[in-house]
Amino acid sequence: MHTTSIPYNNRLKQLQLADIPFNSITIDDVPEPFYKYEGAQWYDHKAFRNILLEKLTLQLHSNVTKLLVFTPKEDQTYTAFAYLSKQEIVAMQIANTGNFKAWMDNILEKQEDAFSDSFFKSEPDPNERYLIELGKGSFSVKSGIGVLYDDKPGETGAYLHKKAPADYNKVALNNEKDQFIQNYAKANGEMVNTEALIQLIQELIKSKNLIPNPPENNEKVYSEFETLAKYKFPEALKTLLSLHNGIEKTGFLSAQKILAEWKIWKGIYDDPNWKLEDLTGNNQADGYQTLGVYTNPYWVPFYSTGGGNFLAIDYAPGVQGKSGQIISFGADESRIRLIADDMEAFLQLLLSGNLNL
């Protein structure tokens, strides 16, 4: 099937609704609506999402990364826009027939039931139009004025440009994050007193009757970290890991787990779906000593406090912070707290029992 597509570029912003080339599409071979499990109240809409994206990927001969589906206004076809992995957009009129219709009717029925059961107990508007956004791992239904592409026909292209998946702007988004963090990055800027660290960790293990895992040769871990991070594995952690590879019944991580956790958090920072405003919008700094950001590649987690929260060596301190300071961050840490000025001070807090987590 031949389809006409629209390139995703700055010229897209100038297109009006009349300029958009629509393709007529029929979604065939869709199974009848089915439940996720026996006794469920609603059909498995996420399974339908996956089926729909797969069907369109086959029909359009390109991976569909995001799909916008608008409910009918004056005719019986659904208007849809498929964002392809090759950064083109296919505008479609989808026939409202067969099992595609059955699935869509159920999705909208659920939406209207939710609306009528709202706090105000209002009756749903039969003329209400909805936008259904589908993507890998995402599914949402939106209603109301201001969400539809044809509310302002002269700005349709600008609307489609704005709604593009994050991957389309991955380079620009990553550049924005890189420029932000490089203003603070001071990797390996701390002074490490190896003898003092060895004495402190040995004293901690002895006084607390801790059970350290035997140390291992972690050179491959350090090499992989340095290749990915573009800075050296923290010398303070190398010193500690020369005496243990994780300590039982404590938060101290092994070298392998340090690398694994750092990769996870770096992956979040690099993910184009996490914009800089998302990373910085819900976290607060500890005065001027830390950065109010959810995560970044210049934090090296080495100690788990549970529930997806960690202590880390901080190589991106605030303007009054120090490279190599110890901070807390993680899933539940809305405030990035300063824990200690360096690893020595952290171990001394553990020894004294004055560590407040």
Side-chain angles (χ1 to χ4, degrees):
M1 179 185 69
H2 174 74
T3 56
T4 303
S5 59
I6 310 165
Y8 177 81
N9 51 38
N10 284 329
R11 284 178 291 183
L12 171 64
K13 299 178 183 179
Q14 308 303 318
L15 295 184
Q16 299 185 22
L17 180 57
D19 302 322
I20 305 297
F22 282 94
N23 302 270
S24 295
I25 300 286
T26 300
I27 308 295
D28 295 320
D29 301 325
V30 176
E32 293 182 359
F34 54 84
Y35 298 113
K36 185 174 184 178
Y37 53 86
E38 186 176 354
Q41 185 176 4
W42 300 104
Y43 294 123
D44 192 347
H45 295 157
K46 292 183 178 179
F48 170 64
R49 169 200 64 196
N50 297 337
I51 292 168
L52 185 58
L53 291 174
E54 180 181 349
K55 293 290 184 185
L56 286 173
T57 291
L58 291 173
Q59 287 199 45
L60 302 177
H61 306 290
S62 181
N63 186 41
V64 177
T65 61
K66 183 176 182 179
L67 181 66
L68 307 181
V69 182
F70 298 90
T71 55
K73 187 175 184 180
E74 296 176 351
D75 53 33
Q76 296 302 308
T77 61
Y78 278 80
T79 301
F81 298 92
Y83 290 84
L84 310 182
S85 58
K86 58 183 180 180
Q87 297 210 358
E88 294 180 0
I89 304 169
V90 176
M92 301 173 288
Q93 297 290 348
I94 303 178
N96 190 19
T97 57
N99 289 332
F100 173 81
K101 172 178 170 55
W103 278 103
M104 296 303 296
D105 287 349
N106 183 260
I107 290 171
L108 298 178
E109 178 185 349
K110 179 181 178 182
Q111 184 70 16
E112 291 180 354
D113 282 354
F115 185 84
S116 62
D117 289 338
S118 68
F119 179 81
F120 295 104
K121 302 294 182 181
S122 301
E123 289 296 325
D125 182 351
N127 297 316
E128 185 73 60
R129 297 182 64 212
Y130 297 94
L131 164 60
I132 304 167
E133 291 193 34
L134 308 172
K136 301 296 184 182
S138 64
F139 182 107
S140 67
V141 183
K142 301 177 182 179
S143 64
I145 297 173
V147 301
L148 303 177
Y149 73 99
D150 57 353
D151 283 340
K152 298 180 180 180
E155 299 177 11
T156 299
Y159 177 90
L160 294 176
H161 192 279
K162 180 181 69 174
K163 298 294 288 186
D167 275 341
Y168 275 27
N169 297 298
K170 183 176 182 179
V171 173
L173 292 170
N174 283 345
N175 285 341
E176 182 184 26
K177 288 186 279 191
D178 286 344
Q179 291 173 10
F180 165 78
I181 203 63
Q182 289 304 323
N183 289 326
Y184 302 94
K186 299 176 182 177
N188 310 111
E190 78 276 40
M191 298 292 293
V192 178
N193 187 330
T194 302
E195 291 183 3
L197 288 181
I198 290 175
Q199 182 178 343
L200 285 167
I201 193 67
Q202 288 177 333
E203 186 178 348
L204 180 68
I205 291 170
K206 183 178 179 180
S207 65
K208 305 293 185 181
N209 294 316
L210 302 180
I211 304 174
N213 296 322
E216 299 179 9
N217 183 340
N218 293 314
E219 289 304 318
K220 288 186 178 179
V221 172
Y222 302 153
S223 177
E224 182 178 354
F225 175 89
E226 291 170 8
T227 297
L228 296 172
K230 310 301 182 187
Y231 62 87
K232 293 182 179 180
F233 192 87
E235 195 64 34
L237 293 183
K238 283 187 177 182
T239 299
L240 299 186
L241 290 167
S242 70
L243 300 175
H244 73 81
N245 199 42
I247 300 178
E248 296 294 329
K249 298 182 180 180
T250 75
F252 282 103
L253 304 178
S254 67
Q256 293 81 1
K257 288 185 177 179
I258 289 172
L259 176 61
E261 288 297 339
W262 178 83
K263 283 182 177 179
I264 290 171
W265 290 102
K266 181 180 186 296
I268 292 173
Y269 191 82
D270 292 343
D271 187 339
N273 291 297
W274 283 83
K275 299 178 182 178
L276 183 59
E277 61 193 58
D278 301 322
L279 291 163
T280 58
N282 297 309
N283 290 85
Q284 295 81 45
D286 194 347
Y288 292 99
Q289 295 173 306
T290 67
L291 289 185
V293 62
Y294 184 56
T295 185
N296 72 78
Y298 288 90
W299 292 346
V300 186
F302 67 93
Y303 190 101
S304 171
T305 58
N309 303 297
F310 298 88
L311 302 184
I313 292 181
D314 179 10
Y315 286 143
V319 293
Q320 294 183 6
K322 293 172 52 181
S323 176
Q325 65 189 13
I326 309 302
I327 62 166
S328 65
F329 83 104
D332 303 315
E333 296 281 2
S334 60
R335 180 167 170 259
I336 308 304
R337 293 179 293 129
L338 176 66
I339 301 299
D341 286 342
D342 52 33
M343 187 63 74
E344 280 186 58
F346 169 69
L347 294 177
Q348 288 167 350
L349 285 174
L350 281 179
L351 270 169
S352 66
N354 291 326
L355 182 61
N356 181 20
L357 298 178

